[in-house]
Amino acid sequence: MGEWAQCRSRKASSSHGWSAYGGQVLGAYYPQQDPSGSSSGSAVAVSIGLALGSIGTETSGSIVNPAEKSNVVGIKPTLGLTSRDMVIPISLRQDTVGPIGRTVKDAAYMLSAIAGKDSFDNWTSAQPYEVTPDYVKSCNHLGLKGARVGIPRNGIDFHLDLSTKPVMDAFETAVQTVRHAGARVIEEANFSSYDAPAFARNSSIVLDTDFAAGLSNYMSQLVTNPNDIHTLSDLARFTRFHAQEQYPDRDTYVWDRQLGRNITHDSPESWAAYQANLFMGGEQGVVGALDRHKLDALIMPTFAAFHLPAIAGLPIVSVPLGFYPAQTPLRMNQKKTMVSVAPNIPFGIAFVGRKWSEEKLISLAYAFEQRTMIRRQMRPYIRPTFELSDQLEPTEETPYKLKVQYRAPAMDRPKLAYEIMLKTISRLISLRSWVRSIFSLNGSLP
């Protein structure tokens, strides 16, 4: 996980996937690969088989971006579908918790386990369900047949540069795949407005004011606080005087900006920025395009898809789309420490929908995944020597028990959610062992 979800330093002073606690996470498809972030380790661990699935958090792109760069599936749920209890907030008005898996079905299993209402997160009370859906049932091979999907070209074009041509070539091929699967594709299903400067300005105000308030609230609930950190000012001071934090090489620009604002998260200025974002992401953006063209979903390259859903609290499912070709010139990250574009680095396609439309998005994404199976076309250049089974031991209660200590979340149904997760992991491990044995007989391993 990138430290403070990449909300500490300016981009030229930071790197995705770095933390003072864990060091630097690297992607597995090219040496010194930028893993994207901020749920960097969650995606990389799944991509190389250290875990069958993982949990990420997203404020704006932090699940779907690392998922695409690790050739895996990421689901950013509707704001309020999953609890954020015990998660340090960047913005309660944008943060969401979601699964990362090797396949759409793996991610759907996990989403079914973690979705639901929680009295410790009031935003989950907005869910329209009495019983949380079983998202695995949405994995339908014919999910694209008869669907109406649109392409908001103006929301894509703004983000294009020389490095995105291979992504767009693969995207246009994917559009034909979607058509051949029986979907009707509406070209130019554009957003009525895509004001990038306004988006950046309003988002900066919302995130700055929300983080300062959310951090103080989170710290106030800690039973122990050994470093006596209670406010953003305390955190900035701690960071500057501890060598592990690599200050000033990794600056505190974002925090300095936040501390310099003379407004709070409940001030009129912050509320106005939040409302402007909701309108831009909703009626002017994703929801407006969906409604005008009577669409089930929008499809976009993942790199361009996460901005408006982030500010409007809308869901995204990102699945593998392709890989940069062999002759791709290298591009470094802004800190010049990692490779962000290079041969074999993966990229994804995103399915974007209305609030609470995860079942439909999973159905569409699964149908596309099963028709293309793009994840199988490229393997990581490294292979782990660590096995998940090394950290599991059988017990009488469950087939497997984690050796690492488990801290139960403060949820109304923690035991049930955890047992579902353990059973899912157990079944997937058994299936993986069986598949590995079959391939071993054939002289190769998956």
Side-chain angles (χ1 to χ4, degrees), residues 199-215:
F199 167 87
R201 181 175 60 253
N202 292 327
S203 294
S204 175
I205 294 172
V206 172
L207 299 186
D208 284 359
T209 55
D210 279 7
F211 179 62
L215 178 69

Side-chain angles (χ1 to χ4, degrees), residues 20 32 39 63 113 126 185 195 200 223 244 284 299 302 305 308 315-316 328 332 360 394 423-425 444-445:
Q32 208 64 23
S39 301
I63 290 174
V185 178
D195 187 342
V223 176
Q244 312 91 291
Q284 283 188 325
I299 53 172
T302 300
L308 296 188
I316 309 171
T328 300
M332 304 298 289
K360 172 57 71 174
K423 289 178 182 179
T424 301
I425 291 173
S444 62
L445 291 176

Side-chain angles (χ1 to χ4, degrees), residues 139-162:
C139 295
N140 178 6
H141 287 267
L142 300 177
L144 285 164
K145 187 174 183 180
R148 289 177 60 88
V149 297
I151 306 173
R153 294 287 179 181
N154 64 338
I156 298 172
D157 292 348
F158 178 82
H159 301 280
L160 299 182
D161 58 30
L162 293 178

Side-chain angles (χ1 to χ4, degrees), residues 323-387:
F323 309 86
Y324 279 95
Q327 303 305 316
T328 300
L330 270 60
R331 174 179 287 190
M332 304 298 289
N333 67 342
Q334 290 192 30
K335 192 173 173 62
K336 308 301 181 184
T337 56
M338 293 188 294
V339 179
S340 58
V341 175
N344 301 339
I345 289 182
F347 46 78
I349 183 173
F351 296 79
V352 182
R354 299 173 178 84
K355 288 184 177 181
W356 322 115
S357 65
E358 281 81 0
E359 290 172 283
K360 172 57 71 174
L361 298 184
I362 287 171
S363 178
L364 299 174
Y366 180 81
F368 176 81
E369 173 196 62
Q370 294 301 303
R371 278 182 165 262
T372 57
M373 303 303 284
I374 289 168
R375 173 172 164 74
R376 296 181 178 178
Q377 297 175 12
M378 189 72 64
R379 297 190 181 201
Y381 83 96
I382 59 172
R383 288 176 177 267
T385 57
F386 176 97
E387 284 289 344

